[in-house]
Amino acid sequence: MNSPLVTIGIPTYNRADGFLKEALGAALGQTYENLEIIVSDNCSSDGTEALVTGHRDKRIRYFRQEENIGAQNNFNFCVRKATGVYFLMLHDDDLIDPDFVEVCIAAAGGREDLGIIRTGTRLIDENGVVHKETENPGEGLDTTDFFLSWFRGEIAFYLCSTMFNTKRLQEIGGFISGRNLLNDVIAEVQLAARYGHGDVKAVKASFREHPNEITFTSKVASWCDDSIELLDLMCRLVPENKAEIIRKEGAVFLSKINYSFANKVDPLLKKIGAYRTVKKTFGHRPPPSLGLTRSIKRKFRRPISTHN
């Protein structure tokens, strides 16, 4: 079987005493041999350099930025430096199973022109405890059904479980979007629609959820902007007669995601403003499960006066 070079990019900043050791160990522990591992250190002030270079593994290419270039620029630095046929962006807090790359290359069936190759994903917390697993039943889906499967919760998009065609990813400029929040999904849908996708049903990667994620530090309005950019792109990528269903189901799905972000906003008055932003963007009301109305009533309910 063809064994093309695969690049694993690990952008990192000040996590030598955190999750970086696990992420790097997962990359080095792959059963697939033909690897290069790019670690881009975004001017860390901890022991990142010593941790990485201490491995003395010829597959590792270590780069230290002279100044902090920002998270997004650091991600795309890894993309630009990649020389493999396929590329995996492994954030320094995520993990891949030992056979992740091997099963992805096997799923490609010798092809080196696929846009992306995906596996299922598990969600873990800061202690590595598994909270959810989602398999990847994406094999054989055309572009429209691929998108609809995401909207319907049948598949999930995560960087740690997606290998990209390096050349095609570099051609679109790497991971880019207007607000740099859904840039990974925008890259995934473009490459999958234009060049096809390979799929592994089994769960082979772990996305770590914890309080310091970038996901939870951005404004809801910015998430809405990127969501609309993504939805417009998806409508352009499907046949014209399928665009309406993509926009309809996509708007419902993306509104729920953005309402979930809005629900994390405090204090309550700012939360209400965030909800209004989502409503204005997508035209859909928040799911009853979020309980905003109950929160408002609790906040503004006054005790019944006993005075006449």
Side-chain angles (χ1 to χ4, degrees):
M1 180 179 292
N2 189 25
S3 300
L5 179 66
V6 172
T7 301
I8 299 177
I10 306 178
T12 189
Y13 175 68
N14 278 352
R15 280 210 169 123
D17 298 322
F19 300 120
L20 175 59
K21 184 177 181 180
E22 291 182 69
L24 182 57
L28 290 169
Q30 290 298 296
T31 56
Y32 189 85
E33 296 182 358
N34 196 15
L35 294 176
E36 69 169 358
I37 301 168
I38 295 175
V39 180
S40 181
D41 177 358
N42 204 4
C43 198
S44 296
S45 57
D46 62 1
T48 294
E49 182 171 1
L51 171 63
V52 177
T53 58
H55 282 280
R56 300 186 182 279
D57 192 306
K58 65 180 181 180
R59 297 173 297 174
I60 296 176
R61 298 173 60 199
Y62 173 76
F63 298 90
R64 176 177 169 80
Q65 305 300 332
E66 294 183 0
E67 60 182 12
N68 192 302
I69 59 176
Q72 299 301 325
N73 287 332
N74 202 34
F75 301 160
N76 285 320
F77 178 87
C78 292
V79 175
R80 291 194 301 273
K81 290 295 183 179
T83 63
V85 173
Y86 289 107
F87 174 84
L88 170 70
M89 179 70 78
L90 182 64
H91 285 317
D92 61 4
D93 51 355
D94 293 338
L95 297 171
I96 50 175
D97 292 1
D99 60 345
F100 173 86
V101 175
E102 182 179 356
V103 298
C104 285
I105 294 301
R111 292 182 60 179
E112 298 186 2
D113 60 344
L114 287 172
I116 62 173
I117 308 169
R118 305 173 59 256
T119 77
T121 315
R122 68 180 66 85
L123 303 185
I124 61 175
D125 63 18
E126 62 269 29
N127 299 312
V129 176
V130 178
H131 288 267
K132 182 179 180 180
E133 291 193 347
T134 303
E135 292 186 331
N136 172 40
E139 185 176 2
L141 296 177
D142 64 18
T143 298
T144 301
D145 287 336
F146 186 64
F147 294 168
L148 290 174
S149 292
W150 184 44
F151 300 156
R152 296 167 183 174
E154 297 164 357
I155 63 174
F157 290 161
Y158 291 97
L159 267 177
C160 61
S161 52
T162 305
M163 289 207 314
F164 295 81
N165 185 295
T166 305
K167 177 182 177 181
R168 300 306 184 188
L169 183 61
Q170 291 170 340
E171 286 175 350
I172 64 172
F175 301 106
I176 297 175
S177 65
R179 299 292 186 175
N180 282 325
L181 294 170
L182 287 173
N183 46 14
D184 54 338
V185 181
I186 284 176
E188 287 185 47
V189 302
Q190 284 189 77
L191 269 59
R194 294 172 179 168
Y195 306 108
H197 54 96
D199 294 277
V200 176
K201 184 177 181 180
V203 174
K204 293 293 180 180
S206 300
F207 175 82
R208 195 184 302 270
E209 297 181 308
H210 56 90
N212 294 323
E213 281 180 77
I214 294 175
T215 301
F216 301 117
T217 61
S218 300
K219 293 181 179 179
V220 171
S222 296
W223 278 105
C224 288
D225 288 346
D226 257 21
S227 296
I228 290 298
E229 180 182 343
L230 171 63
L231 186 55
D232 288 344
L233 172 64
M234 296 174 95
C235 289
R236 294 194 300 271
L237 289 171
V238 298
E240 187 174 350
N241 65 341
K242 300 294 185 179
E244 183 177 353
I245 189 173
I246 292 297
R247 187 167 298 280
K248 181 179 179 180
E249 292 203 24
V252 173
F253 172 74
L254 291 168
S255 72
K256 289 179 180 179
I257 291 177
N258 282 277
Y259 275 124
S260 71
F261 293 149
N263 199 46
K264 301 178 187 297
V265 174
D266 284 314
L268 183 60
L269 288 177
K270 288 187 177 181
K271 185 195 298 283
I272 293 171
Y275 269 64
R276 286 173 176 166
T277 297
V278 180
K279 174 65 165 58
K280 181 179 179 181
T281 301
F282 297 99
H284 293 283
R285 295 181 179 277
S289 59
L290 292 180
L292 179 64
T293 301
R294 294 194 298 273
S295 298
I296 294 173
K297 288 181 177 179
R298 285 196 301 268
K299 179 72 174 180
F300 295 106
R301 182 184 294 127
R302 295 179 179 180
I304 299 174
S305 175
T306 58
H307 298 284
N308 293 326

